[in-house]
Amino acid sequence: MPDWTWRYEGYDPAQERLREALCTLGNGYFATRGAAAESTADAVHYPGTYAAGCYNRLTSQVAGRAVENEDMVNLPNWLRLRVRAVDGDWFSPDHCSVLAYEQALDLRRGVYTRRMRLRDGAGRGVLVEETRVVHMGDPHLAGQRLTVTAEGWEGELEVESALDGNVCNDGVERYRGLDGRHLTGVECGATGADTVWLSCRTSTSDIQVAMAARTRVVDGSPPLSPPAAPGGSTAVHRLRRPASPVRPVTVEKTVAVHTSRDPAISDPVSAAVQRAGRAPAFAELLASHTTAWESLWQRAEVDVRDEAGHLLRLHLFHLLQTLSPHTAGLDVGVPARGLHGEAYRGHVFWDELFVLPFLNLHLPEVSRAMLAYRHRRLGAACQAATDAGLAGAMYPWQSGSDGREETQRLHLNPRSGRWLPDHSHLQHHVGSAVAYNVWHYCAASGDTDFLYGEGAEMLLQIARFWARSAVWDPAHERYRILGVVGPDEYHDAYPGAAHPGLDDNAYTNVTAAWVLTRALELADALPAPRRAELYERMGLEPSETERWQDVSRRLRVPFHSGVISQFDGYGELAELDWEGYRRRYGDIRRLDRILEAEDDSVNRYQASKQADVLMLGYLFPPAELSALFGRLGHRLDDDLWTGTVDHYLRRTSHGSTLSGLVHGWVLARSRRSEAWSYVQEALLGDAADVQGGTTGEGIHLGAMGGTLDLVQRGLTGLDPGPDALRLDPVPLPGLSRFHLSLRYRGHWGVGLTVRHGQLHVSAPESAQAPLRIALGDRLETVPPGSSVTLDLPAG
Ligand code: BGC
């Protein structure tokens, strides 16, 4: 059985940020990096706390221009809990001799522990043991228990428990030229015998944030004198206790967090103070927290027996901490870097494409909430399309609070020090990702209310956008979509072109054709009154849907040298000297930065950041992809597909953690022997910080979710349709024994076990109709409370 503990031994300042990100604790409402409790932000440490969807907008001066950015705000640091001998310095591994140091994350219970033995300059030793939780049952609560044992001396210890409002967004070096001071109006106070509170507001979005901390010593001694009314921007509570080797001091800190976005509160400060005050003692808090995690693990069971199981469990843990059942009640999307750091400013990209298909079969209410986030911003997406002279919904590449385009227009190349134009907002394919998720969420859950309601509104508007974007080219006798950027963000213009954008990105066009086809299908399936209402509201005429039909069949897919071209003209770009660059630079994942720093441009070469054309093999099972190409008038046979896979495999630098995942997924079906190294890269993406320093700035949630989905859908070929649960497994030796528990429509807890070349499916007891399983030509019916074992095709 893979281990449930994620562990680090020894203190290593160079690794601290990585460990902080991977030891983050969260509950979907908020999360806090696994920073040392005694630390403040400096070159080594970065305690960060983020509430889902809490953004703020600031304007900075960059390269002589005013640049506006919206960021997920780093909230006051509630972790601060430190200790010293009354006449000494605060104990910390940075300033003391470190005799022992251990950090462990108990993934099953969601508990972080840190244990260190330190000796200060005066030779006083201490054993410091901290246990920390961010409560999974009550999303507004967190707690710490700190036990300090004096080793070889006796004396008085001072413990400081604080809420530190003196924080800003400073976690990503590249953004340091930008203003990161988002909090204002910090006020602190004390209440009762043991509680301090802090309140502040975000400077432009005007969200009030309040925290309260109750600190108690657990030695049965009389209550402490109340904390002095704190001033300044930190609410501090200090207390003293005698300590000796036989008399450890244990302190419990219980923290409550509220913001003015919360429902059912009067005001954030009183809500936080009350909640902290009413919270039970730490042991009880720990028990209810553990129970909440237990049921969450049951709902999202993925048990992989091979070595990869440990990493997958870590991925699932962080996924569930970012998107938990509590998230279902919030107006938030899928943050690309979790709630674990400040990279990409907490923005929402297309990464939900890699996360929702997994969640659909475990926490469908969370998927629905993520889609509701998109639906609430449908108006903004339609406005963006109108502003661009188009129609329908043009979803932003990066989305934050209100759904406007948040992609920065300048980005820094740290290698050259130059600020450069950023054209990644031209990735309009994000709209297809939204549509794909609507479709697949509804197929897996059977939620026709959503499909006919918000789902149809989004799908039809996205289809309208694609149809309107497509222009007829008589020379090719095809529709074309011009001036876009595909998933491979390296190419954003033709070499030497005055304008950004590329024409006929195959991924964009094929997914657009898919969206149009699905939209037409849905339009037919809508109950007549709803169809009439929707058409009326959208001003949709039959002539428009006729055009959708036409565009869905005649969008252009470019080809060159017997392979699908990433975009029109891709085949004419120069070949890169891959070996030469690897020799010179070693790691060439960020080839774009390397070439720009050489005054060259990646736009000149057949060199991609990540899977682009091959994304098609990730999204669509082989038969569906062939049918899609067939509809577009092309024959997609094995030769064309394997030739295309070969072509791009040799020309991709994997500058995104999504790349290894997609390549592993695609190769598992086309060239299995090579799949494993890509899958491994995806599995190790964050644990080994494969992209060199990026994990410390936040986990890569898409890749984490995607590796789980690789087991769930990639290797099983699972396609949860309305008529049956279709399966089309492919073996991958490194991931050959696993068990999943799924929620498929009315069946809660469908068991799917792959082992020894067999597939075992069990249907849970229920009053539902029997489960229908399709494996190749075989159709099996599994009544509730029974199971079936099928031999997997050899291969
Ligand atoms: C990738 C995008 C991804 C973004 C956020 C970028 O590096 O190229 O595909 O959406 O990171 O994860």
Side-chain angles (χ1 to χ4, degrees), residues 584-601:
R584 274 165 59 207
Y585 289 95
D587 183 350
I588 58 163
R589 284 190 175 82
R590 291 310 303 256
L591 192 58
D592 58 332
R593 292 179 177 166
I594 291 174
L595 289 166
E596 193 278 328
E598 287 183 350
D599 294 323
D600 199 346
S601 164

Side-chain angles (χ1 to χ4, degrees), residues 336-337 344 349-351 397 427 487 489 609-610 655-656 658:
R337 306 299 284 271
Y344 289 133
F349 296 62
W350 71 327
D351 301 51
W397 173 238
Q427 289 187 74
E489 318 184 315
K609 177 183 187 183
Q610 66 198 81
S656 157
L658 297 173

